[in-house]
Amino acid sequence: MKRIPRILLKKPILLGSITFVVNLVISMSPVLYLHGKHVEHYKSIPSFNTQLLIEEQDIVYSALLYSFIFAFIISILITLLAFFLKKSYLEVENLSHFDGLTGLYNRLMFMNVFQKEIQKVKRNRDYLFLVILDIDDFKPINDTYGHLIGDEAIKITASTLQQLLRASESIARFGGDEFIISIVDQDKNAASTIVNRILNEFNNKTIPVSRNHDHQELQINLSIGYTLYRSDDDFKTMLQRADQALYISKEAGKNTATFLA
């Protein structure tokens, strides 16, 4: 059963072609076999009416034509079904890997990617950082301006973070207004450079809001906590330290970053 979705995903046209050939063989084989037997029987008769053979051949040709049409229609239906299942399968797969609001990795996908990065840095001796951040005072934003503005703040934060990060860095929406980033680099100061770049960018990041016909710009600020991989770490222990660092940033007045080694 596990192989069926792969066929539908990768080769729906091939699946339709195989269906066409199989149906054609199954439907035509009995007709051709019986026709051959009848021809042998007629030829064994000393005197037989050739008109009967001609009439039977006409019937056989009609049967073969109908078999061809039937096989073609079935193959078209199977191909269309395969394309539909392919689309549905990809949508389900996308939902299982990516966040619906931002298009970023979701929590589960990020955890899978991060586990692979841990294995990689064990071999390469690179530095691996885990960064967790959230939007300051997000609940008052939702309560004051509504969930649509809250969603817009999350989307703007996500797109801005993507622009600030390199292709080698992974980012996910971890839940609510929280985001999580992994950084792999040979430079031990790489994470602090990126974190400072993020803070500087969000010092000037606003979104337009309106309340009681009063139009204004809403400032988006972030609090950040991050940590460095140790040889005995796993994702859970690094997340706990990064989360603790984030808490320290919040207690320190927000709009700042804290590093815990």
Side-chain angles (χ1 to χ4, degrees):
M1 290 296 292
K2 289 183 179 179
R3 292 185 174 274
I4 294 176
R6 293 181 184 178
I7 296 173
L8 297 178
L9 277 174
K10 296 180 180 179
K11 306 288 184 181
I13 295 178
L14 176 61
L15 182 63
S17 301
I18 293 173
T19 303
F20 173 71
V21 172
V22 170
N23 274 289
L24 204 59
V25 170
I26 291 174
S27 58
M28 284 187 172
S29 294
V31 176
L32 293 173
Y33 175 78
L34 291 175
H35 177 59
K37 288 293 185 181
H38 287 174
V39 170
E40 290 178 7
H41 174 69
Y42 289 144
K43 287 182 177 180
S44 66
I45 300 174
S47 60
F48 71 95
N49 190 346
T50 56
Q51 184 63 32
L52 291 175
L53 183 59
I54 293 172
E55 290 176 359
E56 179 170 324
Q57 285 178 335
D58 289 340
I59 294 173
V60 168
Y61 292 151
S62 297
L64 293 177
L65 177 61
Y66 288 131
S67 297
F68 180 87
I69 294 172
F70 174 78
F72 181 74
I73 292 173
I74 293 297
S75 67
I76 292 295
L77 292 175
I78 291 294
T79 303
L80 292 175
L81 177 62
F83 273 113
F84 173 77
L85 291 176
K86 174 181 178 178
K87 183 174 181 293
S88 300
Y89 188 89
L90 289 175
E91 287 175 353
V92 171
E93 188 178 54
N94 188 65
L95 288 174
S96 67
H97 292 166
F98 297 94
D99 174 62
L101 181 63
T102 63
L104 302 178
Y105 284 154
N106 60 20
R107 177 192 291 251
L108 181 61
M109 186 64 180
F110 181 87
M111 289 170 63
N112 291 336
V113 170
F114 195 79
Q115 291 296 343
K116 293 177 182 177
E117 289 179 339
I118 288 178
Q119 299 305 316
K120 191 185 299 182
V121 297
K122 284 181 178 179
R123 296 191 303 268
N124 300 341
R125 304 289 184 179
D126 289 336
Y127 295 104
L128 172 62
F129 300 88
L130 185 66
V131 183
I132 187 167
L133 53 89
D134 69 9
I135 301 173
D136 290 334
D137 302 315
F138 182 72
K139 188 177 185 304
I141 292 174
N142 262 342
D143 293 344
T144 304
Y145 300 103
H147 290 284
L148 289 179
I149 295 298
D151 286 350
E152 189 64 24
I154 289 172
K155 288 192 287 187
I156 288 175
T157 301
S159 62
T160 304
L161 289 172
Q162 280 184 301
Q163 293 168 11
L164 294 173
L165 297 175
R166 300 169 296 184
S168 60
E169 287 139 11
S170 301
I171 178 173
R173 183 185 177 198
F174 209 56
D177 62 317
E178 278 192 339
F179 298 86
I180 194 164
I181 301 167
S182 68
I183 300 170
V184 179
D185 205 290
Q186 295 179 340
D187 182 5
K188 196 172 184 178
N189 298 315
S192 61
T193 301
I194 293 171
V195 164
N196 288 330
R197 188 192 309 154
I198 291 172
L199 286 175
N200 290 335
E201 178 67 24
F202 277 87
N203 280 333
N204 302 308
K205 187 62 61 178
T206 61
I207 57 173
V209 295
S210 178
R211 188 185 181 200
N212 298 327
H213 305 291
D214 179 23
H215 301 282
Q216 53 186 292
E217 295 291 321
L218 178 65
Q219 177 72 44
I220 299 177
N221 291 123
L222 304 178
S223 291
I224 303 175
Y226 62 112
T227 189
L228 175 65
Y229 172 75
R230 303 171 185 167
S231 59
D232 59 342
D233 268 334
D234 57 19
F235 175 75
K236 184 178 179 180
T237 56
M238 290 189 71
L239 180 62
Q240 288 172 341
R241 282 202 309 277
D243 218 18
Q244 184 181 356
L246 175 62
Y247 177 78
I248 293 172
S249 293
K250 291 289 189 184
E251 290 295 300
K254 306 175 184 178
N255 190 28
T256 188
T258 302
F259 173 72
L260 287 181

